[in-house]
Structures are given as C-alpha cells and as structure tokens.
Amino acid sequence: MSEGKQMTFWEHLDELRDVLLRVIAVFAVVCIICFVFKDHLFGIIFWPTKATFPIYRFLGGIVGNLENICPPTVSIINTELTGQLIAHMKMSASAAVVICVPYFFFELGYYLWPALYPRERRAVRFALVGGMMLFYCGMLISYFLVFPLAYRFLLVYEVSESISNMISLSSYTDTLFLLCLLMGILFELPIVAVALAKLGLVDSQFLRRYRRHAILLIVVVAAVVTPTTDIFTLLLVVLPVYLLYEVSIWAVRRK
C-alpha cells in the first residue's frame, strides 16, 4: 500500500484482495510442502508417543526409572477407508497454518501500516510481534509439556483391566492440534488486556480488583481445554495462564 496516498474505497478493496491472494498462495505452497514431507511431519506429530520425547526422559532421570514414566505402547488405528488421507491433508493444513502465522501477521501489518500514525504504528508493531511470540510459546508449552502428560495420563487411566486401549488416528491428531491451538490462543491474554486498556475498557486497578474472579475463570477455561481430569495437568495450564494475567496487569499499568 502506498505511503501517504489517499485511496478510494475500491482501491482499498483491491489492496485487500491482493493481500488475501498472497496469503492464500503462501499458505497453499507451505501446505503442499508439508504434505510432501509426510515422514517428517508425522514424525513430529507422533513424537510424544515415544520414549525419546524430552519430558519423559527428563522425568525418568528424576525418578530414575524411564519405563514408569513413558506412556504404554498402544496401537493407533484407522477405521475409515479415507481416514489416513484425510488425516494427512488435515495435519498438512494445520502445520501450514502454524508455520505461516508470522507471514499472516506481516501481511496484516503491511495492510494497516500506511493508515496509522507513528504512535499507533508502535502499538501495532508491539501487538503483532508480541502476539506472535506468545502464540508460539503457548503452542510449544502445550506440545512439549501439557499434551504428552495428558496423553500418558489418559493411556494409563482404566476403568477395567479387561479393556485395552486402541486410539483412532483422528482422535489423536485432532486432540493434539486442538490443545496446542487453544493454548496458543490463551497465551494472547496480555495482548488482549493491553488492547482493552487502550480502548479504555479496563485498567490495572480493575484487573487487580477482579483477580480472584479471573483465577476462577482461568481454572474453568483450563478444565475445558485440558482433556484430562487430573489436577496436575490442570495446573500445567492454569499456572502459566495465571502468570500471564499478572504480566497483563504490569503491561496495562505501563502502557
């Protein structure tokens, strides 16, 4: 978009169309690349089921017995004729979304940049860069910590010894991606808080006053997000999100 140029409504629409076309083109290319590199993609997806996963090795080193920490070996099965192909396509698209997040943010900033004043540009740069970093932090914490421990808990949990676990491919992949995505979204809390403060809807005193209500809401949301019922996994989600709430109070006070 041209700097300092007054554009008509239709020119704005043309510019937006070009941005969307570039985003779709880049997404499609990355999606195809992820689809082609199937072995690498699903190696990452199924890594939390292996004894070599970092959190299992770390906890195994602490307790001195890796076998008691690693999840039991189970069969991941496919019950649909097109199930594996659909899973391949879905996870390729999901991985492409995660990889393309920085580019999506760049295109959004590029489109908004000429219409912003210098102070607004600093705020937008902070929101885009900070939001992107927090999103990836949330996803990484979910992938390396929350999901593997939730996965292990659900595998060892049993209502009867006569029942053996066999996990469907779609159940595993959907749970992994959904949990990582939701954690990434939850980690946007400081950015949302600062944005609301900029709009005059909240301030640091308001956030401090309703801290106990926020903790209760965080626990409820974490209980919905996590697929397990154990307190340990719940705390793995609650604690970092609560810390981000405290960071939000600090950020709003300094805005």
Side-chain angles (χ1 to χ4, degrees):
M1 189 179 295
S2 300
E3 218 35 86
K5 177 185 176 182
Q6 192 71 25
M7 300 177 66
T8 66
F9 173 76
W10 296 110
E11 288 175 329
H12 278 292
L13 284 183
D14 287 340
E15 186 70 25
L16 180 59
R17 180 201 61 192
D18 293 340
V19 169
L20 291 176
L21 288 175
R22 288 196 298 269
V23 166
I24 293 172
V26 170
F27 170 76
V29 170
V30 176
C31 191
I32 292 172
I33 293 173
C34 291
F35 189 88
V36 171
F37 289 93
K38 177 184 64 175
D39 293 340
H40 294 82
L41 174 63
F42 280 89
I44 294 172
I45 291 171
F46 291 124
W47 194 18
T49 68
K50 310 296 183 182
T52 57
F53 199 72
I55 188 63
Y56 304 142
R57 297 177 66 180
F58 174 74
L59 295 177
I62 293 177
V63 302
N65 191 337
L66 183 60
E67 292 183 1
N68 290 339
I69 297 297
C70 293
T73 302
V74 297
S75 298
I76 296 181
I77 63 172
N78 171 54
T79 59
E80 302 291 337
L81 181 61
T82 59
Q84 294 200 48
L85 175 60
I86 291 175
H88 188 186
M89 295 172 63
K90 284 173 60 177
M91 296 313 295
S92 296
S94 300
V97 169
V98 174
I99 294 171
C100 288
V101 163
Y103 181 72
F104 295 160
F105 278 41
F106 168 79
E107 284 290 357
L108 178 62
Y110 174 81
Y111 180 73
L112 297 175
W113 203 254
L116 301 175
Y117 293 107
R119 184 176 180 181
E120 294 173 330
R121 290 180 176 181
R122 289 194 295 270
V124 168
R125 185 188 295 115
F126 165 79
L128 293 179
V129 176
M132 179 182 65
M133 294 176 63
L134 287 172
F135 177 78
Y136 278 125
C137 283
M139 291 204 71
L140 289 173
I141 288 176
S142 179
Y143 176 77
F144 282 102
L145 190 62
V146 178
F147 176 78
L149 295 179
Y151 172 78
R152 182 191 180 281
F153 171 82
L154 292 173
L155 283 186
V156 300
Y157 182 84
E158 59 182 18
V159 295
S160 172
E161 293 182 355
S162 62
I163 301 175
S164 59
N165 286 326
M166 289 189 297
I167 306 173
S168 70
L169 177 61
S170 60
S171 174
Y172 178 89
T173 55
D174 290 349
T175 301
L176 171 63
F177 179 71
L178 183 61
L179 186 56
C180 289
L181 180 63
L182 289 175
M183 280 291 289
I185 294 173
L186 285 176
F187 267 58
E188 299 296 320
L189 179 60
I191 302 298
V192 174
V194 171
L196 293 176
K198 292 285 186 181
L199 295 173
L201 299 178
V202 300
D203 56 25
S204 59
Q205 292 183 349
F206 176 88
L207 295 177
R208 284 196 297 268
R209 187 183 312 122
Y210 290 96
R211 179 185 276 114
R212 286 180 296 179
H213 302 79
I215 293 173
L216 178 60
L217 181 60
I218 289 171
V219 172
V220 171
V221 173
V224 174
V225 169
T226 53
T228 70
T229 56
D230 66 299
I231 188 66
F232 180 68
T233 306
L234 184 66
L235 287 175
L236 290 177
V237 178
V238 170
L239 289 179
V241 177
Y242 170 70
L243 291 176
L244 286 173
Y245 184 82
E246 296 296 334
V247 171
S248 300
I249 296 175
W250 174 82
V252 168
R253 187 171 63 247
R254 292 180 58 87
K255 71 174 180 64

